[in-house]
């Protein structure tokens, strides 16, 4: 076990390095670094570890599991940080999700959206969401087909307690970031093609894409939210 001081300096150093790589990538491709937000992915990490990241300056966290997030958000309620949901969301967990999360990245069905709208209404909230798109049409991956995304988003425009802010993708795993790039580009092109004619009441600004192994390519392709765990917290158990 590492002691807390060791872990603290490691997280601080890693976080700075990731922030710097994000800034350098932006400079290299002519983007304003203010347009890319870092989502520190804390699944499996303890509340104490998250606390160290908060003290090191992280303000936005991504969680994958509702129960785990409920515990951590409770423990860390005193901190003015934001929580995003990036895991697969079951419909019966929608009521917890709307209470905890500023943004839910993984909406991929009308059924889930309907439940989120209903639960958000109960607590008087407009829930911000992203639509998770299955760009590569892989079997067994969640996410809606690119062709069906427009229909879904058009239906969601009528939901008073949901606000669609953009798109999200989890590409298949490749060792080389260059092989993932087409998925990032595909997501950006889809967003742009949906924004062009426009859908009344909806403007898709966010692109949630890029993780530890490929976030630089994602930023070059237009990512506005990069979801990074390992590069900050080390390998998960
Ligand atoms: C775990 C996870 C990440 C972070 O992955 P790293 O490779 O550790 O950076 C990003 N997005 C999603 C959806 C995840 O589940």
């Amino acid at each position: 076990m590492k002691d807390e001081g060791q872990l603290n300096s490691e997280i601080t150093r890693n976080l700075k390095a990731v922030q710097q790589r994000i800034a350098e990538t932006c400079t290299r491709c002519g983007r304003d670094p203010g347009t890319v937000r870092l989502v520190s992915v804390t699944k499996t990490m303890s509340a104490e570890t998250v606390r160290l990241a908060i003290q090191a300056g992280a303000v936005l966290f991504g969680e994958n599991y509702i129960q785990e997030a409920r515990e951590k958000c409770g423990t860390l309620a005193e901190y003015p940080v934001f929580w995003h949901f990036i895991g697969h969301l079951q419909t019966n967990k929608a009521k917890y999700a709307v209470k905890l999360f500023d943004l839910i990245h993984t909406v991929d069905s009308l059924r889930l959206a309907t439940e989120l709208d209903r639960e958000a209404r109960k607590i008087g909230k407009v829930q911000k969401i992203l639509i998770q798109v299955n760009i590569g049409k892989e079997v067994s991956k969640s996410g809606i087909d690119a062709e069906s995304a427009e229909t879904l988003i058009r239906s969601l425009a009528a939901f008073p307690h949901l606000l669609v802010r953009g798109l999200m993708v989890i590409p298949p795993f490749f060792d080389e970031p260059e092989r993932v790039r087409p998925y990032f580009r595909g997501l950006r092109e889809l967003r742009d093609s949906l924004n062009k004619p426009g859908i009344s009441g909806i403007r898709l600004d966010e692109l949630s894409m890029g993780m530890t192994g490929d976030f630089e390519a994602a930023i070059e392709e237009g990512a506005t939210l990069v979801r990074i765990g390992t590069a900050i917290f080390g390998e998960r158990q």
Side-chain angles (χ1 to χ4, degrees), residues 140-189:
S140 89
K141 272 273 173 72
S142 39
I144 188 168
D145 287 353
E147 295 75 32
S148 314
E150 178 170 359
T151 311
L152 177 62
I153 295 169
R154 283 191 186 281
S155 331
L156 300 191
F159 285 39
H161 293 275
L162 291 184
L163 185 62
V164 186
R165 296 287 298 115
L167 307 178
M168 181 262 204
V169 70
I170 305 177
F173 180 80
F174 294 113
D175 277 327
E176 310 106 274
E178 284 314 310
R179 294 189 62 189
V180 193
R181 188 184 291 273
Y183 296 85
F184 298 150
R185 185 169 297 164
L187 195 72
R188 175 185 20 107
E189 288 172 352

Coordinates of all heavy atoms in Angstrom, one line a residue, residues 140-189:
S140 N -22.9 -6.1 -29.5 CA -22.7 -6.1 -28.0 C -22.2 -4.9 -27.4 O -21.9 -4.9 -26.2 CB -21.8 -7.3 -27.7 OG -20.5 -7.0 -27.6
K141 N -22.0 -3.8 -28.1 CA -21.7 -2.5 -27.5 C -22.9 -1.7 -27.3 O -23.8 -1.7 -28.2 CB -20.7 -1.8 -28.4 CG -19.2 -2.1 -28.1 CD -18.7 -1.3 -27.0 CE -17.3 -1.7 -26.5 NZ -16.2 -1.4 -27.5
S142 N -23.0 -1.0 -26.3 CA -24.2 -0.1 -26.1 C -24.0 1.1 -27.0 O -23.0 1.4 -27.5 CB -24.5 0.2 -24.7 OG -23.3 0.4 -24.0
G143 N -25.1 1.9 -27.1 CA -25.1 3.0 -28.0 C -26.0 2.8 -29.1 O -26.3 1.7 -29.6
I144 N -26.6 3.9 -29.6 CA -27.6 3.9 -30.7 C -26.9 4.0 -32.0 O -25.9 4.7 -32.1 CB -28.7 4.9 -30.5 CG1 -29.8 4.8 -31.4 CG2 -28.1 6.4 -30.5 CD1 -31.0 5.7 -31.1
D145 N -27.4 3.4 -33.0 CA -26.8 3.5 -34.4 C -26.9 5.0 -34.8 O -27.8 5.7 -34.5 CB -27.6 2.7 -35.4 CG -27.4 1.2 -35.3 OD1 -26.6 0.8 -34.5 OD2 -28.2 0.5 -36.0
A146 N -25.9 5.4 -35.6 CA -25.8 6.7 -36.1 C -27.1 7.1 -36.8 O -27.6 8.2 -36.7 CB -24.6 6.9 -37.0
E147 N -27.6 6.1 -37.6 CA -28.8 6.4 -38.4 C -30.0 6.7 -37.5 O -31.0 7.4 -37.9 CB -29.1 5.2 -39.3 CG -28.1 5.0 -40.4 CD -26.8 4.3 -39.8 OE1 -27.0 3.5 -38.9 OE2 -25.7 4.6 -40.3
S148 N -30.1 6.1 -36.3 CA -31.3 6.2 -35.5 C -31.1 7.4 -34.5 O -32.1 7.8 -33.9 CB -31.5 5.0 -34.7 OG -31.4 3.8 -35.5
A149 N -29.9 8.0 -34.4 CA -29.7 9.0 -33.4 C -30.6 10.2 -33.7 O -31.1 10.8 -32.8 CB -28.2 9.4 -33.5
E150 N -30.7 10.6 -35.0 CA -31.5 11.8 -35.3 C -33.0 11.6 -34.8 O -33.5 12.5 -34.2 CB -31.4 12.1 -36.8 CG -32.3 13.3 -37.1 CD -32.1 13.8 -38.5 OE1 -31.3 13.2 -39.3 OE2 -32.8 14.8 -38.9
T151 N -33.5 10.5 -35.1 CA -34.9 10.2 -34.7 C -35.1 10.3 -33.2 O -36.0 10.9 -32.7 CB -35.3 8.8 -35.2 OG1 -35.0 8.6 -36.5 CG2 -36.8 8.6 -35.0
L152 N -34.1 9.7 -32.5 CA -34.2 9.8 -31.0 C -34.1 11.2 -30.5 O -34.9 11.7 -29.7 CB -33.0 8.9 -30.4 CG -32.9 9.0 -28.9 CD1 -34.2 8.4 -28.2 CD2 -31.7 8.2 -28.4
I153 N -33.1 12.0 -31.1 CA -32.9 13.3 -30.6 C -34.1 14.2 -30.9 O -34.5 15.0 -30.1 CB -31.6 13.9 -31.2 CG1 -30.4 13.2 -30.7 CG2 -31.5 15.4 -30.9 CD1 -29.1 13.5 -31.4
R154 N -34.7 14.0 -32.1 CA -36.0 14.7 -32.4 C -37.1 14.4 -31.4 O -37.8 15.3 -31.0 CB -36.4 14.4 -33.8 CG -35.6 15.1 -34.9 CD -36.3 15.0 -36.3 NE -35.4 15.6 -37.3 CZ -35.2 16.8 -37.5 NH1 -36.0 17.7 -36.8 NH2 -34.4 17.3 -38.4
S155 N -37.2 13.2 -31.0 CA -38.2 12.9 -30.0 C -37.9 13.6 -28.7 O -38.8 14.0 -28.0 CB -38.3 11.4 -29.8 OG -38.0 10.6 -30.9
L156 N -36.6 13.6 -28.4 CA -36.3 14.2 -27.0 C -36.5 15.7 -27.0 O -36.6 16.2 -25.9 CB -34.8 13.8 -26.7 CG -34.5 12.3 -26.7 CD1 -33.1 12.1 -26.1 CD2 -35.6 11.6 -25.9
A157 N -36.6 16.4 -28.1 CA -36.8 17.8 -28.1 C -38.1 18.1 -27.4 O -38.2 19.2 -26.8 CB -36.8 18.3 -29.5
A158 N -39.0 17.2 -27.3 CA -40.3 17.5 -26.7 C -40.3 17.2 -25.2 O -41.3 17.4 -24.6 CB -41.4 16.6 -27.4
F159 N -39.2 16.7 -24.7 CA -39.2 16.3 -23.3 C -38.7 17.6 -22.5 O -37.6 18.0 -22.6 CB -38.2 15.2 -23.0 CG -38.7 13.8 -23.4 CD1 -39.4 13.7 -24.6 CD2 -38.4 12.7 -22.7 CE1 -39.9 12.4 -25.0 CE2 -38.9 11.5 -23.1 CZ -39.6 11.3 -24.2
P160 N -39.6 18.1 -21.6 CA -39.3 19.4 -21.0 C -38.2 19.3 -19.9 O -37.5 20.3 -19.6 CB -40.6 19.8 -20.3 CG -41.4 18.6 -20.3 CD -41.0 17.7 -21.4
H161 N -38.0 18.1 -19.4 CA -37.0 17.9 -18.3 C -35.7 17.3 -18.8 O -34.9 16.8 -18.0 CB -37.6 17.2 -17.1 CG -38.7 18.0 -16.5 ND1 -38.4 19.0 -15.6 CD2 -40.0 18.1 -16.7 CE1 -39.5 19.6 -15.2 NE2 -40.5 19.1 -15.9
L162 N -35.5 17.2 -20.1 CA -34.2 16.8 -20.6 C -33.6 17.8 -21.6 O -34.3 18.5 -22.3 CB -34.4 15.5 -21.4 CG -34.8 14.2 -20.7 CD1 -34.8 13.0 -21.7 CD2 -33.8 13.9 -19.6
L163 N -32.3 18.0 -21.5 CA -31.6 18.8 -22.5 C -30.5 18.1 -23.1 O -29.5 17.7 -22.4 CB -31.1 20.1 -21.7 CG -30.5 21.2 -22.6 CD1 -31.5 21.7 -23.6 CD2 -29.9 22.3 -21.8
V164 N -30.6 17.8 -24.4 CA -29.6 17.1 -25.1 C -28.4 18.1 -25.5 O -28.7 19.1 -26.1 CB -30.1 16.4 -26.4 CG1 -29.0 15.6 -27.1 CG2 -31.3 15.6 -26.2
R165 N -27.2 17.8 -25.0 CA -26.1 18.7 -25.2 C -25.1 18.2 -26.2 O -24.2 19.0 -26.6 CB -25.4 18.9 -23.8 CG -26.3 19.6 -22.7 CD -26.5 21.1 -23.0 NE -25.2 21.7 -23.0 CZ -24.6 22.3 -24.0 NH1 -25.2 22.3 -25.2 NH2 -23.4 22.9 -23.9
G166 N -25.2 16.9 -26.6 CA -24.2 16.5 -27.5 C -24.1 15.0 -27.6 O -25.1 14.3 -27.3
L167 N -23.0 14.4 -28.1 CA -22.9 13.0 -28.4 C -21.7 12.4 -27.7 O -20.7 13.1 -27.3 CB -22.7 12.8 -29.9 CG -23.7 13.4 -30.8 CD1 -23.3 13.2 -32.3 CD2 -25.1 12.9 -30.5
M168 N -21.7 11.1 -27.5 CA -20.6 10.4 -26.8 C -20.3 9.1 -27.5 O -21.2 8.5 -28.1 CB -21.1 10.1 -25.4 CG -20.1 9.4 -24.5 SD -20.3 7.6 -24.4 CE -19.5 7.3 -22.8
V169 N -19.1 8.7 -27.6 CA -18.7 7.4 -28.2 C -17.7 6.6 -27.3 O -16.8 7.3 -26.7 CB -18.2 7.5 -29.6 CG1 -16.8 8.2 -29.7 CG2 -18.2 6.2 -30.3
I170 N -17.9 5.3 -27.2 CA -16.9 4.4 -26.7 C -16.4 3.5 -27.8 O -17.1 2.6 -28.2 CB -17.4 3.6 -25.5 CG1 -18.0 4.4 -24.4 CG2 -16.3 2.7 -25.0 CD1 -18.6 3.6 -23.3
P171 N -15.3 3.8 -28.5 CA -14.9 3.0 -29.6 C -14.4 1.7 -29.2 O -14.1 1.5 -28.0 CB -13.8 3.9 -30.3 CG -13.6 5.1 -29.4 CD -14.4 4.9 -28.2
P172 N -14.2 0.8 -30.1 CA -13.6 -0.5 -29.8 C -12.1 -0.3 -29.3 O -11.6 0.8 -29.6 CB -13.6 -1.3 -31.1 CG -13.8 -0.3 -32.2 CD -14.5 0.9 -31.6
F173 N -11.6 -1.2 -28.6 CA -10.2 -1.0 -28.1 C -9.2 -1.3 -29.2 O -9.2 -2.4 -29.8 CB -9.9 -1.9 -26.9 CG -8.6 -1.7 -26.4 CD1 -8.3 -0.6 -25.6 CD2 -7.5 -2.5 -26.7 CE1 -7.0 -0.4 -25.2 CE2 -6.2 -2.3 -26.3 CZ -6.0 -1.2 -25.5
F174 N -8.3 -0.4 -29.4 CA -7.1 -0.6 -30.3 C -5.9 -0.1 -29.5 O -6.0 0.9 -28.8 CB -7.2 0.2 -31.6 CG -8.3 -0.3 -32.5 CD1 -9.4 0.6 -32.7 CD2 -8.3 -1.5 -33.1 CE1 -10.4 0.2 -33.6 CE2 -9.3 -1.9 -34.0 CZ -10.4 -1.0 -34.2
D175 N -4.7 -0.7 -29.7 CA -3.5 -0.2 -29.1 C -3.1 1.1 -29.7 O -2.6 2.0 -29.0 CB -2.4 -1.2 -29.2 CG -2.5 -2.3 -28.1 OD1 -2.9 -1.9 -27.0 OD2 -2.1 -3.4 -28.4
E176 N -3.3 1.3 -31.0 CA -2.8 2.5 -31.7 C -4.0 3.5 -31.8 O -5.0 3.2 -32.4 CB -2.3 2.2 -33.1 CG -1.3 1.1 -33.2 CD -2.0 -0.1 -33.8 OE1 -2.6 -0.9 -33.1 OE2 -1.9 -0.2 -35.1
P177 N -3.7 4.7 -31.2 CA -4.8 5.8 -31.3 C -5.2 6.1 -32.7 O -6.4 6.4 -33.0 CB -4.1 7.0 -30.7 CG -2.9 6.5 -30.0 CD -2.5 5.1 -30.5
E178 N -4.3 5.9 -33.7 CA -4.7 6.2 -35.1 C -5.8 5.3 -35.6 O -6.6 5.7 -36.5 CB -3.5 6.1 -36.0 CG -2.5 7.3 -35.9 CD -3.2 8.7 -35.8 OE1 -4.1 8.9 -36.7 OE2 -3.0 9.5 -34.9
R179 N -5.9 4.1 -35.0 CA -7.0 3.2 -35.5 C -8.3 3.6 -34.8 O -9.4 3.3 -35.3 CB -6.7 1.8 -35.1 CG -5.5 1.3 -35.9 CD -5.3 -0.2 -35.7 NE -6.4 -1.0 -36.2 CZ -6.5 -2.3 -36.1 NH1 -5.6 -2.9 -35.4 NH2 -7.5 -2.9 -36.6
V180 N -8.3 4.4 -33.7 CA -9.5 4.9 -33.1 C -10.0 6.2 -33.7 O -11.2 6.5 -33.7 CB -9.3 5.1 -31.6 CG1 -10.6 5.3 -30.9 CG2 -8.5 4.0 -31.0
R181 N -9.1 6.9 -34.3 CA -9.4 8.2 -34.9 C -10.7 8.2 -35.8 O -11.5 9.2 -35.6 CB -8.2 8.8 -35.6 CG -8.4 10.2 -36.1 CD -7.2 10.7 -36.9 NE -5.9 10.8 -36.1 CZ -5.6 11.9 -35.4 NH1 -6.4 13.0 -35.4 NH2 -4.5 12.0 -34.8
P182 N -10.8 7.3 -36.7 CA -12.1 7.3 -37.5 C -13.4 7.3 -36.7 O -14.3 7.9 -37.2 CB -12.0 6.0 -38.3 CG -10.5 5.7 -38.3 CD -10.0 6.1 -37.0
Y183 N -13.4 6.7 -35.5 CA -14.6 6.8 -34.7 C -14.8 8.1 -34.1 O -15.9 8.6 -34.1 CB -14.5 5.7 -33.6 CG -14.4 4.3 -34.1 CD1 -13.2 3.8 -34.4 CD2 -15.5 3.5 -34.2 CE1 -13.1 2.5 -34.9 CE2 -15.5 2.2 -34.6 CZ -14.2 1.7 -35.0 OH -14.2 0.4 -35.5
F184 N -13.7 8.8 -33.7 CA -13.8 10.2 -33.2 C -14.3 11.1 -34.3 O -15.2 11.9 -34.2 CB -12.5 10.7 -32.7 CG -11.9 9.9 -31.5 CD1 -10.6 9.7 -31.3 CD2 -12.8 9.3 -30.6 CE1 -10.1 9.0 -30.3 CE2 -12.3 8.5 -29.6 CZ -10.9 8.4 -29.4
R185 N -13.7 10.9 -35.5 CA -14.1 11.8 -36.6 C -15.6 11.5 -37.0 O -16.3 12.5 -37.3 CB -13.2 11.5 -37.8 CG -13.4 12.4 -39.0 CD -12.3 12.2 -40.0 NE -11.0 12.6 -39.5 CZ -9.8 12.3 -40.0 NH1 -9.8 11.6 -41.1 NH2 -8.7 12.7 -39.5
G186 N -15.9 10.3 -37.0 CA -17.3 9.9 -37.3 C -18.3 10.6 -36.3 O -19.4 11.0 -36.8
L187 N -18.0 10.6 -35.1 CA -18.9 11.3 -34.1 C -19.0 12.8 -34.4 O -20.0 13.3 -34.3 CB -18.4 11.0 -32.7 CG -19.4 11.3 -31.6 CD1 -20.5 10.2 -31.6 CD2 -18.8 11.4 -30.2
R188 N -17.8 13.4 -34.7 CA -17.9 14.8 -35.0 C -18.7 15.1 -36.2 O -19.5 16.0 -36.2 CB -16.5 15.4 -35.1 CG -16.6 16.8 -35.6 CD -15.3 17.6 -35.9 NE -14.1 16.8 -36.3 CZ -13.6 16.6 -37.5 NH1 -14.3 17.2 -38.5 NH2 -12.6 15.9 -37.7
E189 N -18.5 14.3 -37.2 CA -19.2 14.5 -38.5 C -20.7 14.3 -38.3 O -21.5 15.1 -38.8 CB -18.7 13.6 -39.6 CG -17.3 14.0 -40.1 CD -16.7 13.0 -41.0 OE1 -17.2 11.9 -41.2 OE2 -15.6 13.4 -41.6

